[in-house]
Amino acid sequence: MSALWWAFCNLFFAATNDLIFKGYARKSRSQGLFAAIIGVIWLGALLTLVKEVPENWGATLLWGAISGVFSIGGNLLMLDAMKKLDAGVCATIYRLNLVPAVVMAALVLGEPISLIQYAGIGCACLAVVAFLPENSSVRSQMSAGLIVMIAASLMRAGMGISYKYGFSHGADQNVVPVINSLFWVFGGIIYALFRERDLLKELKVDRDNVRKLFTYGFGSGVLVAGIVLTMAQSLAGGNASVVLPIMQMSFLVTGVLSVIFLKEKITVKKVTALLLGVAAVLLLSIKF
């Protein structure tokens, strides 16, 4: 029962973090420094999980770095997409990273794709299509955001595959996420210095912007740490085929919360896309 409790905590942490991402992305602010602040808090929480020195430092550093690039890259892309798309849309597409993960697993790890999983892939594709509006001008604007969001989902899938491959080749399961958090810290700072120089100049004269940066960053950092810790607790005490689909369903809660707190519109097409997303997650996650 405790594993299910941790899985549902993870779901609500992820959904709440989606709202913070959207709230931060609504205005022109430094995404790099935002990610760096999250990384600092995340690092502090993860260090509590490290009990022993890794036996294979080479594999741990290699796959920690590879997954770290995918992790920070995917989230920076998601922040960028949220400037153009609703939080519910972004959350749904991001959680459908199971689709490219299944395909990558087949290509890289040699895992077979079942007919049920093919059906899940089909539902996921239809979910993305269902998000497209009928108005051509709005559709062209949303298409750009959807492409960025799909790229973010691909990066997240790459992170998952690199985790699986790395752990099976000697990488330490507790230290790899710590290395990921370092990529958030230093990757975020580097991104800000090279891509957001104008925004950094604005921070020097806008105290309110600085306050919001640290407020959003701290809140998201606490939630990201909670996501990591509750996932670890859930997987440690429960069956992955049960708890993982629950955690992936956070986009449903994001969709509801975004309507309540962000006043995002709810349409028949959006509801259809969410339901297709649910079907996709179930078909891709649960072994029948």
Side-chain angles (χ1 to χ4, degrees):
M1 187 65 182
S2 60
L4 291 178
W5 162 255
W6 289 120
F8 279 108
C9 286
N10 181 279
L11 179 151
F12 283 105
F13 286 160
T16 305
N17 193 53
D18 289 337
L19 292 189
I20 290 181
F21 265 45
K22 176 62 179 179
Y24 187 80
R26 276 181 158 181
K27 293 185 178 181
S28 181
R29 301 186 178 104
S30 173
Q31 298 176 5
L33 291 184
F34 176 62
I37 293 170
I38 294 172
V40 169
I41 299 170
W42 181 15
L43 174 62
L46 288 177
L47 287 175
T48 63
L49 297 178
V50 180
K51 306 298 182 183
E52 300 175 354
V53 176
E55 295 182 4
N56 190 334
W57 270 109
T60 301
L61 290 173
L62 174 63
W63 292 104
I66 292 173
S67 58
V69 171
F70 282 127
S71 178
I72 183 63
N75 280 275
L76 286 174
L77 286 172
M78 184 176 182
L79 279 167
D80 193 54
M82 279 188 165
K83 295 177 181 178
K84 305 177 182 68
L85 302 174
D86 287 350
V89 175
C90 291
T92 303
I93 296 175
Y94 195 67
R95 299 303 181 272
L96 290 179
N97 63 77
L98 285 172
V99 173
V102 168
V103 175
M104 288 181 188
L107 296 175
V108 178
L109 305 177
E111 296 182 2
I113 301 178
S114 66
L115 288 175
I116 291 174
Q117 288 176 317
Y118 276 118
I121 292 172
C123 287
C125 293
L126 290 173
V128 175
V129 172
F131 278 126
L132 289 172
E134 296 179 1
N135 186 294
S136 58
S137 61
V138 178
R139 185 189 305 148
S140 61
Q141 183 179 358
M142 278 193 65
S143 296
L146 285 172
I147 291 172
V148 174
M149 199 58 239
I150 290 171
S153 183
L154 288 171
M155 294 285 279
R156 178 61 180 81
M159 175 185 165
I161 293 298
S162 59
Y163 266 26
K164 190 167 186 179
Y165 190 88
F167 293 155
S168 65
H169 286 76
D172 188 281
Q173 295 187 30
N174 291 324
V175 177
V176 164
V178 172
I179 297 173
N180 288 174
S181 68
L182 291 173
F183 269 77
W184 277 60
V185 176
F186 295 106
I189 293 173
I190 292 171
Y191 182 86
L193 290 175
F194 283 91
R195 293 292 305 274
E196 301 175 329
R197 291 181 181 179
D198 292 339
L199 293 175
L200 294 183
K201 291 178 182 177
E202 291 178 11
L203 285 175
K204 294 180 180 179
V205 296
D206 191 343
R207 291 185 178 181
D208 185 60
N209 205 357
V210 172
R211 180 180 60 80
K212 288 182 178 179
L213 168 65
F214 280 95
T215 300
Y216 277 106
F218 179 80
S220 183
V222 170
L223 288 169
V224 169
I227 290 167
V228 174
L229 295 174
T230 54
M231 179 181 291
Q233 291 291 330
S234 182
L235 290 173
N239 191 324
S241 64
V242 175
V243 297
L244 283 177
I246 292 174
M247 291 186 279
Q248 289 283 8
M249 293 294 179
S250 63
F251 64 86
L252 283 175
V253 180
T254 301
V256 174
L257 293 179
S258 64
V259 171
I260 298 173
F261 294 105
L262 302 179
K263 308 303 179 184
E264 293 182 355
K265 294 181 180 179
I266 186 165
T267 64
V268 173
K269 292 187 70 175
K270 185 180 286 188
V271 172
T272 301
L274 290 173
L275 293 176
L276 285 168
V278 171
V281 169
L282 291 175
L283 293 171
L284 289 165
S285 302
I286 298 177
K287 297 179 181 179
F288 291 91

